[in-house]
Structure formats: structure tokens, C-alpha cells
């Protein structure tokens, strides 16, 4: 058997998963400036809902808010906007709902339900690529090399796994079709291993 590894044998480098301290620093950096509320909202949708960047870019207010202006407890992603073309339900926890309420209050005027949640400087909806580039810049500003638009999704899946949530439930929340895909997202670092042995 050959011990020589080809480029096809080398696993792809995965997006960095911030520690708790790094996450707080990232949030502080992202929340600054004129577009701080918008940027913070994008980050929270990534971290606390596990959404892909394309899914975040595609969101309209009627996905997140009902006709009375109340933030929904769950949103439905259509097959048209998900990877693989499979519709799914995304549950929004209390923290994410509070973030959405604060973001709504920060807007100069109430948005229409058909309006995109995230708007560029040119008052247009973000493309997945533009939002991806913007997010990468946040990690650079926070001094978190290796971070990308996929970091929040990996953080979301990792936190669920380390909280003891059923692997099948995590797979469904992530919108994966196979458990092996979900397992590749789970990060293990020294902080987590230390906490694991302290729990014994």
C-alpha cells in the first residue's frame, strides 16, 4: 500500500469555530458602525439558526415576522433557497428572536413584509457571494484567521453536539441528508475536551 498522499487524499480545511471568548470579540467587532445592527443580525442568523450564507441572503421579513409584526418561532426555508433543494423548518430560539426584535427597532422605518431582511449600501438585497465576502472581512477584523461564513454553521452544530442533542435531531436542524455530513461539522478543541473530562 502506498504511503504517498495525493492532493485528493488531503481533507479540505474547515472554517474556524470560535471559542466563547472569540465569539464575544467577533460580535463586538461586527456590531460597530453604521451597519452594525444589520451585520450583527446576519451573524446571529448564522450562529443561532445554523443558516447557510445563501439562506441568510434570501430571507424576507415575511419569513421571520407574521402579519402582526410578531417574530415567528420558526421559519420555513423553501426548496428554492436551500442547498440540495430540500425545504426545511428552522426553529428560532429566544435569543435569536430577541435579536430580531432589536434589529427591527433599529431600522429607520418599518420594513414591508416582502422586503429583504439584509440590505446593502445600495439598498439592494445581498447576493450569497457578497454576503460571504463581507462575513470573511469580519473575522479578519476580529483577528480570527480561518473564519468564514461557514464558521457560524459549524459553531451551531458543534454546540448542539456538545449539549448532548440527538445526532438525528442535529442532522435535521442542519438540513443535512446524511449523518456523516453532520459529523464532519463538529469541532473538538482543548476547551471542550477539558470540559468533557471535568464532567466525569
Amino acid at each position: 500500500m502506498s504511503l504517498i498522499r495525493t492532493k485528493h487524499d488531503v481533507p479540505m480545511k474547515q472554517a474556524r469555530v470560535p471559542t466563547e471568548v472569540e465569539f464575544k470579540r467577533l460580535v463586538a467587532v461586527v456590531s460597530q458602525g453604521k451597519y452594525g445592527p444589520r451585520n450583527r443580525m446576519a451573524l446571529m442568523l448564522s450562529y443561532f439558526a445554523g443558516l447557510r450564507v445563501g439562506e441568510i441572503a434570501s430571507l424576507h421579513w415575511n419569513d421571520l415576522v407574521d402579519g402582526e409584526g410578531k417574530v415567528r418561532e420558526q421559519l420555513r426555508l423553501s426548496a428554492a433557497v436551500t442547498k440540495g433543494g430540500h425545504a426545511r423548518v428552522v426553529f428560532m430560539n429566544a435569543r435569536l428572536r430577541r435579536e430580531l426584535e432589536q434589529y427591527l427597532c433599529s431600522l429607520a422605518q418599518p420594513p414591508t413584509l416582502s422586503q429583504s431582511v439584509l440590505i446593502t449600501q445600495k439598498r439592494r438585497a445581498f447576493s450569497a457571494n457578497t454576503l460571504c465576502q463581507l462575513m470573511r472581512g469580519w473575522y479578519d477584523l476580529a483577528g480570527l484567521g480561518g473564519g468564514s461564513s461557514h464558521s457560524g454553521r459549524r459553531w451551531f452544530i458543534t454546540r448542539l453536539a456538545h449539549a448532548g442533542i440527538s445526532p438525528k435531531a442535529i442532522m435535521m436542524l442542519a438540513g443535512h441528508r446524511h449523518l456523516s455530513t453532520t459529523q464532519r461539522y463538529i469541532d473538538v478543541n482543548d476547551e471542550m475536551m477539558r470540559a468533557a473530562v471535568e464532567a466525569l
Side-chain angles (χ1 to χ4, degrees):
M1 182 175 68
S2 173
L3 296 178
I4 299 172
R5 297 182 72 178
T6 69
K7 65 180 181 179
H8 301 292
D9 298 324
V10 181
M12 285 179 61
K13 188 173 181 182
Q14 291 189 299
R16 178 182 186 146
V17 178
T19 64
E20 197 64 38
V21 171
E22 290 173 339
F23 175 64
K24 287 178 180 176
R25 183 163 84 238
L26 178 65
V27 171
V29 166
V30 166
S31 302
Q32 295 173 4
K34 180 179 178 182
Y35 298 102
R38 177 202 68 188
N39 295 347
R40 181 187 175 104
M41 191 68 258
L43 191 75
M44 293 300 163
L45 287 163
S46 175
Y47 276 77
F48 288 97
L51 297 181
R52 299 178 177 94
V53 68
E55 294 167 348
I56 296 171
S58 73
L59 289 175
H60 293 83
W61 279 110
N62 57 6
D63 295 318
L64 303 176
V65 176
D66 64 23
E68 297 176 357
K70 186 178 179 182
V71 174
R72 301 180 190 275
E73 292 189 2
Q74 61 188 52
L75 70 98
R76 295 181 185 277
L77 293 173
S78 70
V81 302
T82 62
K83 186 177 180 181
H86 301 285
R88 79 176 192 274
V89 174
V90 175
F91 294 89
M92 297 192 289
N93 66 17
R95 175 165 181 183
L96 183 56
R97 294 198 303 273
R98 283 196 304 271
E99 292 281 350
L100 276 162
E101 287 166 359
Q102 289 170 11
Y103 178 49
L104 264 171
C105 290
S106 75
L107 299 175
Q109 54 187 21
T112 62
L113 291 177
S114 61
Q115 186 177 319
S116 294
V117 174
L118 303 177
I119 301 292
T120 68
Q121 291 170 290
K122 296 181 179 178
R123 308 298 300 165
R124 296 176 188 158
F126 274 92
S127 68
N129 187 50
T130 303
L131 186 55
C132 184
Q133 291 175 14
L134 181 65
M135 285 185 165
R136 186 177 293 277
W138 299 339
Y139 290 92
D140 292 340
L141 284 172
L144 301 177
S148 76
S149 60
H150 229 54
S151 292
R153 188 164 161 78
R154 288 199 68 212
W155 187 90
F156 172 80
I157 292 169
T158 295
R159 293 286 290 239
L160 291 174
H162 287 275
I165 305 302
S166 155
K168 187 163 186 180
I170 299 173
M171 181 183 79
M172 294 178 73
L173 287 167
H176 290 151
R177 305 295 286 178
H178 304 286
L179 190 57
S180 58
T181 304
T182 306
Q183 289 171 328
R184 288 199 296 271
Y185 277 70
I186 299 170
D187 182 61
V188 178
N189 58 36
D190 289 350
E191 184 181 297
M192 292 167 182
M193 289 189 287
R194 191 176 298 112
V197 297
E198 288 296 337
L200 295 175

